[in-house]
Amino acid sequence: MQHVILGAGPAGVTAAETLRKYDPDCEITLVGGEDGPPYSRMALPYLLSREIEEKGTYLRQTDGHYDKLGIRYVQGRALGLKAGKKRVLLEDGSVIAYDRLLAATGATPIRPQVEGLDLSGVRHCWTLSDAHSIAAIAKPGDPVVLMGAGFIGSIILEALVKMGVRLTVVEMGDRMVPRIMDEVAGNMLKRWCEGKGVRILTGTRIASISSNSTAPPGAPAPDRQSSGSPDRPDGFLQWLFGNSHRPARGISERQPAAVPAEGEMLDVHLDNDETLTARLVVVAAGVRPNIDFLEGSGIETGKGICVDEYLQSSVSDVYAAGDVAEAVDLSTGEHDVLAVQPVAVEHGRIAALNMLGRKTEHRGSLNMNILDTLGLVSTSFGAWMGVEGGDSARMVDEEHNRYLRLEFSEDRLVGMQSVGSADHIGVARGLIQTGLRLGGWKDKLMRAPGRLPE
C-alpha cells in the first residue's frame, strides 16, 4: 500500500508516524513544500526572538528520524491531482502514484490589496525564509509596522518587541484579536501592549506603502514563499485531461528574497491620513487554505476540502487534515476550517487511521486559542461569543487586567474567554468538549464565574 502525504506540517508528520505505527510494511511518502526538515510555523516567533535556534523549530529533533521510520521525505509542491488515475503532479514536473492520499497542504498568508506590498521591506512571517529575512532587516531601535493584530499577529508582536524594535501595530478591527475575543478582552490586551511601549492603532487600515528612497537597480522581488497556487507550466491541462504525464517545462526557480538597502525606509500611508516611517512592514492579515492544486480534480471544496466524519473527501481514497480540512467544529456542529496546531495534530492521527482501514470517527474539534502576549495570558475556547438562547456570566477586573466570560447552553458550558489567568484552561476545555451537565453548578458559576476551577 502506497500512502502519499502532501504537506509536512504537524498534520502531515503526525499522519506519517501514525501510518508507520500501525502498518510496519506500507510505503509512506511525505512531501514538504520547503527546503529542510519539517518544522512548526508556530515556533518561528521564538526563532525571531532568539529564544530557540533553527533546529528548535523542527517538529522532530532526532537526526534521521524519518529515515529510521522508513518514511520517504521529498521536497516539492503539489500542482495538480488526477484522482481517477491516483496521480499527483508536483511543480517540478514529477508525478507520484498513490493508493491513499492525504492532503495536509496547510494554508497561505492572505495578501491584502494594498499598493506597495511588493517592496523589499515588506514581509510575511510564515516560513523559515521569512523569519531569517525579518531578522536580517530589522535591528534594535528600527521602526517596524505590523499589519494585523489577530491571533498570528499577536504572536509576531511579542517576537518583534523582544527584538528591540520600535513597533506600531495597525489593526482594521475595533480591538485586538477581534475574531477570537470580545471588546472587553481585546481592548484589555490593547491597553496592556500600549503599557509595554507598543503603539496600537485599531480601527485603522494601511492604505498604501511606498519607498522614500531608491532601491538598488536590479534588486530581486521578495520571495513570498506562499504560493498555494503556483503558476502552472505549459502542458498542465494536457496532463490533467489528456494523456501527458509530464508538463512541457518545469517551474522556474524562486528568486531569493531581497533585503532593503542600508538606510532604505518605507512610508506607510494610513487611511486616517497619517504616514508612518518604517524599516520593515510585517503582514499578518490572516491565511487561506491551499486548495488551488485541486482544480479539475473533482474533489468538493468550500473554504477548504470538504470531508466526512472519517476525514475522507468527496473522492474515494483522498483524505484531508489540518488547516486545509473543512471538518466539524465541535462548538457549532457545522463544518469549518480551524487553523490551529492541536486540531492539525488530531486530524493527522484520525485521517491516518482511516487510511489504514481502521474506522475512526472524527466527532469534531474544539476551537481554542491561547496567547501569551508580553506576559499577559488570554484564551478563547469554543462558542466564546455565546449561543442563541444561552446564558452568559462575566467577571471583569480592569485594574488588574483580569477577565472571565463563560457561555452556557442550558446547563452546559459551551464557550469561554479569559484574560490574566490560566488556572481554568484545562477545566474549561474538558467541560466544553464533554458537554458535561453542570446541574446546580451552573447557578454557582453564573453568580461567581471565578469558581470555575473549583
Side-chain angles (χ1 to χ4, degrees):
M1 181 72 73
Q2 171 63 273
H3 297 284
V4 173
I5 300 169
L6 302 177
V13 168
T14 300
E17 293 171 341
T18 304
L19 290 170
R20 179 55 71 228
K21 178 179 179 180
Y22 291 100
D23 188 345
D25 300 319
C26 68
E27 295 182 35
I28 305 170
T29 301
L30 179 64
V31 182
E34 299 175 45
D35 295 332
Y39 67 91
S40 169
R41 300 196 192 284
M42 291 297 99
L44 294 181
Y46 304 102
L47 176 65
L48 271 181
S49 60
R50 298 187 178 180
E51 295 175 65
I52 60 174
E53 297 181 352
E54 181 174 318
K55 188 173 181 179
T57 69
Y58 297 165
L59 288 169
R60 303 295 180 261
Q61 303 287 313
T62 305
D63 292 338
H65 174 78
Y66 303 98
D67 291 337
K68 291 174 184 176
L69 290 176
I71 297 170
R72 177 181 171 235
Y73 179 57
V74 300
Q75 195 277 327
R77 292 171 186 255
L79 186 62
L81 175 66
K82 188 181 288 187
K85 293 186 178 295
K86 295 191 172 182
R87 298 289 188 272
V88 176
L89 172 68
L90 302 185
E91 65 178 27
D92 66 357
S94 61
V95 176
I96 301 178
Y98 68 88
D99 295 307
R100 302 260 166 81
L101 176 80
L102 176 65
T105 45
T108 293
I110 292 172
R111 194 159 171 260
Q113 297 297 312
V114 174
E115 182 181 352
L117 289 190
D118 285 324
L119 293 169
S120 60
V122 180
R123 291 289 191 276
H124 293 284
C125 186
W126 195 245
T127 67
L128 275 171
S129 176
D130 290 335
H132 289 309
S133 293
I134 289 171
I137 295 170
K139 304 303 178 186
D142 282 348
V144 172
V145 172
L146 174 62
M147 177 194 291
F151 180 77
I152 294 173
S154 295
I155 296 173
I156 297 170
L157 178 156
E158 180 167 42
L160 293 171
V161 170
K162 289 181 178 179
M163 290 174 66
V165 303
R166 292 185 286 118
L167 183 62
T168 300
V169 180
V170 181
E171 164 59 46
M172 65 181 183
D174 63 354
R175 60 191 185 275
M176 290 184 66
V177 285
R179 294 183 180 178
I180 63 173
M181 291 184 188
D182 66 13
E183 293 83 355
V184 175
N187 286 318
M188 193 173 285
L189 187 59
K190 175 184 176 180
R191 289 191 297 273
W192 175 268
C193 292
E194 290 173 334
K196 300 292 183 179
V198 181
R199 188 182 183 203
I200 309 287
L201 301 176
T202 52
T204 308
R205 295 175 182 265
I206 294 179
S208 64
I209 304 171
S210 60
S211 175
N212 62 16
S213 63
T214 303
D223 176 13
R224 297 296 168 192
Q225 290 280 350
S226 56
S227 63
S229 56
D231 293 334
R232 280 157 175 172
D234 294 341
F236 171 76
L237 293 179
Q238 184 183 4
W239 178 86
L240 186 61
F241 299 111
N243 297 317
S244 174
H245 288 279
R246 292 185 65 86
R249 65 172 185 270
I251 298 293
S252 60
E253 292 295 320
R254 286 181 171 81
Q255 294 294 322
V259 174
E262 187 69 29
E264 182 180 357
M265 303 294 283
L266 299 171
D267 285 333
V268 182
H269 309 283
L270 308 181
D271 63 356
N272 62 3
D273 295 330
E274 183 180 358
T275 296
L276 307 174
T277 300
R279 172 67 173 165
L280 169 72
V281 174
V282 180
V283 180
V287 298
R288 62 176 181 83
N290 287 327
I291 57 175
D292 291 352
F293 75 98
L294 295 174
E295 181 183 347
S297 69
I299 291 176
E300 183 182 353
T301 61
K303 293 179 181 178
I305 299 172
C306 301
V307 296
D308 63 14
E309 65 270 30
Y310 303 108
L311 298 182
Q312 184 170 231
S313 75
S314 59
V315 171
S316 177
D317 295 330
V318 177
Y319 296 77
D323 295 3
V324 77
E326 190 172 330
V328 174
D329 180 342
L330 185 67
S331 303
T332 64
E334 303 294 328
H335 282 68
D336 203 353
V337 174
L338 300 181
V340 292
Q341 186 161 310
V343 171
V345 172
E346 179 185 36
H347 280 183
R349 182 184 65 83
I350 293 174
L353 291 172
N354 286 306
M355 291 167 73
L356 292 168
R358 293 172 169 260
K359 285 290 188 181
T360 305
E361 186 176 350
H362 174 251
R363 298 181 179 179
S365 297
L366 178 63
N367 186 14
M368 56 183 180
N369 300 276
I370 303 174
L371 281 171
D372 184 349
T373 309
L374 303 178
L376 185 65
V377 176
S378 56
T379 69
S380 173
F381 281 56
W384 60 267
M385 74 301 291
V387 296
E388 186 175 355
D391 295 310
S392 180
R394 305 186 189 194
M395 179 181 70
V396 183
D397 182 351
E398 297 278 4
E399 182 181 357
H400 297 98
N401 295 298
R402 293 178 68 88
Y403 177 55
L404 181 61
R405 171 176 169 175
L406 304 179
E407 294 293 337
F408 301 91
S409 177
E410 298 180 341
D411 66 343
R412 292 185 174 95
L413 184 69
V414 295
M416 183 203 72
Q417 287 181 77
S418 71
V419 178
S421 176
D423 296 343
H424 45 265
I425 289 176
V427 176
R429 178 179 179 178
L431 291 176
I432 295 171
Q433 283 185 312
T434 61
L436 181 71
R437 286 194 173 276
L438 300 174
W441 265 102
K442 179 195 173 181
D443 292 335
K444 296 177 183 179
L445 293 175
M446 287 292 294
R447 293 192 299 269
R451 294 184 68 182
L452 182 61
E454 179 188 343

